[in-house]
Amino acid sequence: MPPVTSFPSAGASAAYDRIGLGYREVRRPDPRLAAMIHDALGGARTVVNVGAGAGSYEPPDADVTAVDPSQVMLDQHPGPHKVQAGAEDLPFENGSFDAAMAILTVHHWSDLHQGLRELRRVARRQVVLTLDPGHTRELWLVSEYLPEIRDLDHARFTSVAEVAESLQAHTVLSFPVPHDFTDGFLAAFWRRPEQYLDPVVRQASSSLAVLPAEVIEPAMDRLREDLSSGDWEQRHAELLAEDAIDYGYRLLIAGEDLPIRRSQS
């Protein structure tokens, strides 16, 4: 196992030490989102992945340093360069990397704005994927079964407008979630409702994993009954004809354009 450099960390560490087991099996990178992120990274040769988790969406042709406060998550990361640290105090010199990436992690940071300042400090270009809590279309799982997630996400996620301003983003891109999306975050299974019945799937989504059993289990019982009776399909027949739906996921790009790589002969 590659060595892990450790620094004092806080924030998401405790949560993901508890819920992160098996994360890599469920949260498999989707090639369509991967292509979008790789384009946004602009051909960076050196990348720091902050809140790296199991390493999803890291560019295969770059030298990547993975940073995460959770040892459980870093143990699942396959890369050779791993640092246990929080986003708010990155242990790197100014301008150490071509690019910094932070994929669905900023809502876990104890100080969002300080973490974004750190991304800007250590890298020339920044790429952040987050969820806009003010997006109008809500996942049916939330509106019909688990409204507790709405309050949770509104408390955790900062508006995309505020994140973009703090990051000084020059580009904000929408990512509609495909119906066959492979990365099992909360909205991934909008057209595959039976997947939410699987406790392994729920454990890999922080919005579901942190809810107590007395909230989750009655909701899953109702979903199971609705699927068995056909009520769910009747209510959501229009979803079965959709290929992708915008649930508010946004990719933010900030910082410099990087020089185009030239092949060596």
Side-chain angles (χ1 to χ4, degrees), residues 87-108:
E88 300 82 3
D89 187 18
L90 296 175
F92 309 113
E93 298 294 330
N94 294 352
S96 294
F97 303 93
D98 289 339
M101 58 188 288
I103 307 303
L104 290 180
T105 180
V106 299
H107 57 291
H108 293 299

Side-chain angles (χ1 to χ4, degrees), residues 50-67:
V50 179
S56 296
Y57 304 110
E58 293 175 353
D61 57 346
D63 181 8
V64 178
T65 298
V67 175

Side-chain angles (χ1 to χ4, degrees), residues 59-225:
D61 57 346
D63 181 8
V64 178
T65 298
V67 175
D68 202 284
S70 168
Q71 185 62 53
V72 169
M73 299 308 297
L74 287 176
D75 286 345
Q76 299 178 72
H77 192 287
H81 307 302
K82 298 189 280 190
V83 176
Q84 187 178 15
E88 300 82 3
D89 187 18
L90 296 175
F92 309 113
E93 298 294 330
N94 294 352
S96 294
F97 303 93
D98 289 339
M101 58 188 288
I103 307 303
L104 290 180
T105 180
V106 299
H107 57 291
H108 293 299
W109 297 356
S110 60
D111 187 332
L112 169 71
H113 299 289
Q114 174 60 20
L116 295 176
R117 283 192 293 269
E118 283 288 271
L119 296 190
R120 293 172 51 211
R121 180 183 67 79
V122 303
R124 297 161 56 195
R125 188 175 180 89
Q126 302 81 37
V127 175
V128 171
L129 179 68
T130 188
L131 174 70
D132 191 350
H135 187 69
T136 54
R137 184 156 191 174
E138 188 171 60
L139 181 67
W140 55 264
L141 182 70
V142 177
S143 58
E144 297 176 15
Y145 298 94
L146 288 167
E148 293 84 358
I149 293 176
R150 181 187 307 124
D151 295 335
L152 175 65
D153 283 353
H154 275 267
R156 296 192 305 167
F157 284 93
T158 303
S159 73
V160 164
E162 184 174 341
V163 176
E165 181 179 6
S166 182
L167 188 64
Q168 299 183 14
H170 54 70
T171 303
V172 178
L173 303 173
S174 302
F175 181 75
V177 182
H179 71 92
D180 55 353
F181 195 61
T182 63
D183 187 347
F185 59 58
L186 180 64
F189 306 109
W190 58 268
R191 217 178 83 173
R192 293 168 287 167
E194 67 283 350
Q195 292 295 318
Y196 292 112
L197 300 176
D198 186 342
V200 175
V201 169
R202 297 198 302 269
Q203 188 73 9
S205 168
S206 64
S207 295
L208 291 167
V210 300
L211 293 177
E214 57 267 27
V215 171
I216 285 285
E217 290 174 3
M220 293 301 99
D221 287 343
R222 288 189 290 111
L223 175 58
R224 188 177 293 106
E225 291 172 3

